[in-house]
Amino acid sequence: MSLVGKVFSNFFHGLSFHLNYKLNKGMFPTFLVYKITMRCNSRCRTCNIWKTKSFNELKLKDIGYIFNNKFWKNLKYVQLTGGEPFLRTDYPYIVNIFKNLKKVETIATPSNGFLTNKIVSDVKKSLEIINGKKLFSITISLDGLEKQHDYIRRIPNGYKKAVETVKKLKELEKSYERFTVGIETVISKYNVNNLDEIYNEFVKLTEHLNFTPAIEAPYFSNTNEEFGIREKDYDTVIKFYRKIEKDNPSLSYYYENIIRFFKRGKRTYPCLGLYKTICLGSNGEIYPCVMLDKSLGNALKDNLFEIWFSEKTNKLRKSLKTNEFCKTCLNSCDMLNNYNEEFLHFFWFLLKNPKISYNLFKKTRKGYLREYV
């Protein structure tokens, strides 16, 4: 499809979303966040997933059964997350299941990067399985320079392991055109005063960088913690986002919405959760999004169409519009879906920011951005 055709297609997708959003009606999901395991080998100060018990993880045959279903006919983007996804012994074979879904365009996985050899081995196997038919993306979590990162993650030599993983994956990236390696940094009270030096160091490793605010949510089991960005640090973070968005035009839309949140105290961009974005738990439970722990049913035991399109779920969609957590959620899990499926808000942002639009156009002519936009 041409760029112009893509724009018009996404424009009408956006209209469709807004109509269904107004009516509290679900749509066939285009973005999936699948927690393939809740096991974790990190001990993060900003997340307590490692304290939770992982039980009844779906077996490979069950995963295959779930996704051999017309319910997933419009699925385009898949995020395989955790816990630590590479603790599973069958990661490449899970990738293979999604490779066989025709409309899937992107398969992405975040990782703490501690299991360097296994991660590199699993990624190489996955790339061979995909064979260039999908965009494959791995993002390694790095929350600061060495002492800072190891303090936050509480794993000895965690920084060295994660950096080594990035370097080895970047070497692998040279041999696979549709493979991208990135770094994600969670901004918290532990690193908010060192963002410039963190950015300057990580940009040496990869151009694919993302900085996201720490979030307190049921998913992380951390709702009673106080580690997020404090109000007194808002100006510091805003200044940092203004500085890096010129070099990261694909994330400018997200960064600008975070800035607006700091100024207005509420989320200002649409959430596609429970409309075009869906979350699958490690045991098959279906959730509105990755952050909320309200189960709609089990994909292995229940009828997916009935779960997703029922009147009960429509009522939940309506209630989430006034949900206090949703009003302040800054998660970027389905930002790619916002760009492509809920295009109106993003398109208006581009019209109002011609310099960012121009930089985005230039960036898309090469590298990983070309695949995304």
Side-chain angles (χ1 to χ4, degrees):
M1 183 183 295
S2 68
L3 180 59
V4 173
K6 182 87 170 174
V7 169
F8 275 104
S9 174
N10 292 348
F11 183 81
F12 285 109
H13 284 176
L15 287 176
S16 175
F17 163 72
H18 281 280
L19 176 61
N20 282 276
Y21 184 83
K22 188 76 173 177
L23 298 173
N24 307 308
K25 289 186 176 181
M27 312 171 74
F28 284 106
T30 55
F31 190 101
L32 166 71
V33 180
Y34 173 22
K35 308 172 190 177
I36 63 176
T37 182
M38 292 303 285
R39 289 174 286 148
C40 191
N41 56 341
S42 187
R43 299 292 182 267
C44 300
R45 297 178 185 274
T46 55
C47 172
N48 291 319
I49 286 178
W50 58 275
K51 293 181 180 179
T52 64
K53 291 183 179 180
S54 183
F55 59 96
N56 297 330
E57 283 181 11
L58 293 173
K59 297 178 180 178
L60 196 64
K61 64 176 182 179
D62 297 328
I63 300 171
Y65 171 79
I66 288 172
F67 288 97
N68 184 25
N69 190 313
K70 291 183 179 179
F71 176 78
W72 307 103
K73 65 180 184 178
N74 288 344
L75 195 62
K76 293 182 181 179
Y77 317 108
V78 175
Q79 185 179 76
L80 304 176
T81 187
E84 170 51 44
F86 290 100
L87 286 174
R88 285 201 61 139
T89 59
D90 52 3
Y91 176 87
Y93 304 103
I94 296 175
V95 169
N96 185 53
I97 290 172
F98 292 102
K99 185 216 68 171
N100 290 325
L101 297 185
K102 291 182 179 180
K103 283 197 175 182
V104 168
E105 298 173 1
T106 302
I107 302 172
T109 294
S111 169
N112 58 39
F114 296 154
L115 303 172
T116 302
N117 291 336
K118 185 176 186 302
I119 292 169
V120 174
S121 175
D122 280 0
V123 167
K124 188 172 182 180
K125 290 177 184 176
S126 299
L127 286 166
E128 291 169 354
I129 287 170
I130 292 172
N131 194 28
K133 294 181 179 179
K134 316 288 182 184
L135 175 64
F136 189 57
S137 174
I138 302 293
T139 303
I140 303 300
S141 299
L142 280 166
D143 291 336
L145 303 185
E146 187 168 356
K147 289 184 179 179
Q148 196 171 51
H149 179 77
D150 289 352
Y151 173 80
I152 295 171
R153 298 278 168 165
R154 292 193 281 204
I155 298 296
N157 297 314
Y159 179 84
K160 289 180 179 178
K161 293 174 183 177
V163 169
E164 182 67 12
T165 301
V166 172
K167 289 180 178 179
K168 288 190 174 183
L169 290 177
K170 289 295 289 184
E171 281 299 311
L172 197 60
E173 186 184 58
K174 295 175 183 178
S175 302
Y176 295 90
E177 186 177 356
R178 303 198 71 198
F179 173 46
T180 71
V181 181
I183 292 173
E184 181 161 12
T185 300
V186 175
I187 303 176
S188 68
K189 70 178 184 181
Y190 302 117
N191 61 10
V192 70
N193 293 315
N194 305 97
L195 296 176
D196 286 336
E197 60 179 316
I198 292 170
Y199 179 85
N200 291 337
E201 189 64 27
F202 291 171
V203 79
K204 298 174 186 177
L205 297 172
T206 177
E207 65 170 343
H208 189 174
L209 301 176
N210 188 18
F211 287 77
T212 62
I215 296 175
E216 297 176 12
Y219 169 48
F220 299 118
S221 300
N222 63 2
T223 51
N224 294 320
E225 310 288 340
E226 292 184 359
F227 55 79
I229 302 171
R230 297 159 294 188
E231 190 171 348
K232 70 183 185 69
D233 294 319
Y234 282 3
D235 286 343
T236 299
V237 179
I238 290 173
K239 183 179 179 181
F240 174 71
Y241 278 139
R242 293 286 192 212
K243 178 181 177 180
I244 68 171
E245 68 179 0
K246 295 177 183 178
D247 295 324
N248 297 272
S250 65
L251 291 169
S252 296
Y253 171 74
Y254 174 52
Y255 292 160
E256 284 294 329
N257 278 292
I258 295 174
I259 291 170
R260 277 200 287 271
F261 169 83
F262 289 151
K263 293 181 176 180
R264 302 180 188 180
K266 64 179 181 179
R267 180 181 174 122
T268 59
Y269 57 102
C271 176
L272 279 69
L274 210 54
Y275 292 90
K276 288 192 173 185
T277 296
I278 189 171
C279 177
L280 178 67
S282 61
N283 60 350
E285 296 294 299
I286 295 288
Y287 300 98
C289 77
V290 67
M291 293 296 165
L292 298 177
D293 57 358
K294 173 68 175 176
S295 174
L296 308 177
N298 190 285
L300 195 59
K301 302 173 183 177
D302 302 317
N303 185 298
L304 282 167
F305 292 87
E306 292 179 2
I307 291 174
W308 194 249
F309 295 106
S310 69
E311 189 57 35
K312 180 180 178 181
T313 304
N314 288 342
K315 289 180 180 178
L316 178 60
R317 290 185 177 97
K318 183 177 181 180
S319 70
L320 291 182
K321 292 177 179 178
T322 56
N323 182 283
E324 289 304 314
F325 173 80
C326 295
K327 287 180 181 178
T328 58
C329 177
L330 288 176
N331 192 41
S332 62
C333 65
D334 67 348
M335 190 54 63
L336 185 60
N337 226 15
N338 278 93
Y339 294 159
N340 287 289
E341 296 294 313
E342 198 297 295
F343 188 64
L344 300 180
H345 202 265
F346 178 49
F347 184 68
W348 182 242
F349 166 78
L350 293 177
L351 288 178
K352 292 193 297 183
N353 296 275
K355 289 184 178 179
I356 291 175
S357 301
Y358 177 67
N359 287 337
L360 181 61
F361 173 75
K362 287 198 301 182
K363 286 274 187 176
T364 56
R365 299 186 69 179
K366 64 177 182 177
Y368 74 91
L369 278 177
R370 184 178 180 87
E371 295 281 0
Y372 283 114
V373 179

